[in-house]
Amino acid sequence: MATEHNIDINKRNNTGKKAIKELRKDGNIPGVYYSPSSKESAPIIITQSEYHKAVKSGARIFNITVGGEKQTVLFKSVQYHPVTEEVQHIDLYGVKMDEVITVKVSINLVGDSIGVKEEGGVLNHATSEIEIECLPLDIPDFIEVDITDMDMGDSIQVGDIELDEKFKLMSSAEAVVVS
């Protein structure tokens, strides 16, 4: 389950292209913080090292301080450079710990399919993540789907995944996860 991690961020005043290039050259990542209670957003910067520490922590929920106020956030979107794969931009979404949120969660396939192992079939993993609704502290790292009993021609749809009662499925139940 999700744990929390503190991140040091700073507001940034300069938002022009030239200023953002300078920030990146100095080892910083520009980003935007979106408030949970209003439509307001604030431009921020986070250092590369602070970002990597946050990712290594394994946490899904992070604590930041914006304008002297502590806020709880999720990494909503992270943009990478297409060649160097360095982080170019990050969006932090503020969350309230007692309000449900919608998040995408990875699907991990477990087991060896009978259809592949014994019948020479090929596994097609069509959907790699699903959208669920839950409280921020309940966000799972992934959802497991057991494919052990799958024969040739079988498929598992999103609606077939057994979810804990604290999760509400938001993705289409008809979408095929694996066939």
Side-chain angles (χ1 to χ4, degrees):
M1 286 302 147
T3 56
E4 296 182 35
H5 179 83
N6 293 324
I7 301 179
D8 288 328
I9 65 162
N10 292 300
K11 278 190 171 178
R12 64 182 159 96
N13 302 320
N14 41 8
T15 54
K17 274 188 174 182
K18 199 172 188 177
I20 287 176
K21 259 188 175 168
E22 280 297 312
L23 286 173
R24 288 187 185 125
K25 205 187 318 180
D26 294 340
N28 296 303
I29 304 167
V32 177
Y33 161 75
Y34 295 93
S35 170
S37 52
S38 68
K39 295 282 180 230
E40 286 182 34
S41 64
I44 57 150
I45 51 173
I46 178 174
T47 64
Q48 288 277 356
S49 65
E50 194 68 32
Y51 170 77
H52 291 297
K53 267 194 271 179
V55 170
K56 280 184 185 161
S57 76
R60 298 289 293 258
I61 296 169
F62 303 94
N63 298 312
I64 62 169
T65 304
V66 179
E69 282 185 47
K70 283 198 181 302
Q71 298 290 331
T72 307
V73 298
L74 295 170
F75 287 172
K76 195 68 172 186
S77 115
V78 180
Q79 296 170 4
Y80 297 91
H81 188 280
V83 177
T84 65
E85 292 188 9
E86 271 200 10
V87 178
Q88 295 288 289
H89 189 273
I90 189 163
D91 286 344
L92 301 178
Y93 278 69
V95 293
K96 293 182 178 175
M97 298 308 282
D98 58 350
E99 287 182 12
V100 295
I101 57 170
T102 302
V103 291
K104 288 184 178 177
V105 179
S106 297
I107 295 173
N108 278 9
L109 302 181
V110 293
D112 290 319
S113 161
I114 295 167
V116 171
K117 202 165 57 174
E118 297 173 11
E119 300 167 9
V122 176
L123 199 67
N124 178 18
H125 189 175
T127 302
S128 61
E129 61 184 18
I130 60 171
E131 218 169 30
I132 61 170
E133 203 174 69
C134 65
L135 290 171
L137 279 176
D138 292 334
I139 300 170
D141 291 329
F142 55 84
I143 293 184
E144 282 188 352
V145 174
D146 188 357
I147 60 169
T148 307
D149 297 330
M150 286 185 69
D151 286 317
M152 289 278 279
D154 287 353
S155 67
I156 296 175
Q157 294 180 307
V158 170
D160 298 331
I161 299 172
E162 287 185 34
L163 293 175
D164 194 300
E165 69 237 13
K166 59 187 165 192
F167 306 131
K168 179 180 174 192
L169 180 65
M170 301 306 287
S171 293
S172 166
E174 286 82 44
V176 174
V177 175
V178 63
S179 59

